[in-house]
Amino acid sequence: MKSVTIGGVTIKGNVALSPMAGVSHVAYRGICREKGASYAPTELVSARSIRYNGLEKSMQYLRIDPETEGVTAIQLFGSEPDDFTAAIDKIMEHPLLSKVDIIDINMGCPVPKVVKTGAGSALMNDPETAASIVRACKAALEGAPRHIPVTVKTRIGFDPGDSGRPDLARAVADAGCDMLCVHGRTRPQMYTGSCDRKAIALMKEAIRGYDIPFFANGDVTDGPSAASLIGETGADGVMIGRAARGNPWIFEEVSAFLEGRPAPNPPSERERKEMLIRELKGRCLYCEEEFAVREFRSVMPFYVKGIRGAAQLKVRLCSALTVNEIKEILEL
Ligand SMILES: Cc1cc2nc3c(=O)[nH]c(=O)nc-3n(C[C@H](O)[C@H](O)[C@H](O)COP(=O)(O)O)c2cc1C
């Protein structure tokens, strides 16, 4: 199995879960790891909110579980280097969160609320600030008892005409970023249109001399699409987003394909339903049952996608309020 070393932290394999708000719950990240994901960062968390409101308010998103996750990574977003410094200081003072292995910086979020503040994908248009943020994170982690690498996840551009931002890639690499992941879409594309692999390759090429790993991201749905993304971009690995929703088995499948092993059997209908319940119960460990069930409404449909009667099932699942009701609906 190929392994990748990110600033001294070695991950097994080269197929990671891409961070997704509402999806990348700690319960799900542990499941993905079990099913072969190399690692799985948290969803994006505001560095400014941590700075001014403390960790508790964001704990639902920040929580890590080194035991089930293996290598852990927290993704932060923001636009002010000082916010990152303050957020990391707080993280490093926390008994659980200080065990984190990697800090990832979001430089790709296209959501207007985030972009308006100069954060997320807006940083692609401001490589100087992007680099300052990386430097601030590195400096804040300098005193840590272990080396904690800083990684960056971004896109191929901010404007519709952009086809790669090698300037941004070089700026963050110069600033000491330990790994770069690039999603092959521009900000206005959000998650639509095709993924521009040439633009990803251009950014990979831009940091060739820096000796840091590079991950490609966008539209991986199976082994062949992962292999061709790696082949066409020269990436060291891939991150899988949407196709992994309600489908942790994708990591076994893609890893097997990349390593030339036979494809594992796809999960049965029952296994999928049982995994849905397992993730939901995992989510319930951290909050009120009804809250967990409501939050899980955006994910449940993916677990039953393609199952006979899925349309009806989805409607019923999304009106349930307890785990038992959901079990009944799924006839488990
Ligand atoms: C619902 C949803 C939430 C997302 N949240 C985040 C996030 O918190 N941080 C991040 O870096 N990217 C986020 N993304 C982007 C994904 O990580 C990924 O880059 C994108 O979906 C492209 O990969 P895919 O084609 O495999 O889905 C999100 C995407 C989706 C669909």
Side-chain angles (χ1 to χ4, degrees), residues 244-265:
R245 289 180 292 190
N247 182 18
W249 299 275
I250 193 168
F251 297 102
E252 285 174 338
E253 181 205 336
V254 169
S255 302
F257 188 89
L258 294 180
E259 291 159 24
R261 289 184 280 113
N265 288 331

Side-chain angles (χ1 to χ4, degrees), residues 179-195:
M179 181 276 237
L180 180 65
C181 174
V182 176
H183 171 201
R185 289 188 175 82
T186 61
R187 174 198 55 89
Q189 280 184 294
M190 304 287 275
Y191 304 104
T192 61
S194 59
C195 177

Side-chain angles (χ1 to χ4, degrees), residues 18-21 43-44 75 106 153 183 185 191 217-220 239-242 245:
S18 211
M20 280 180 288
E43 66 179 77
L44 79 177
Q75 188 186 66
N106 181 304
K153 179 166 173 287
H183 171 201
R185 289 188 175 82
Y191 304 104
N217 167 239
D219 294 350
V220 170
M239 281 198 157
I240 305 179
R242 290 162 299 168
R245 289 180 292 190

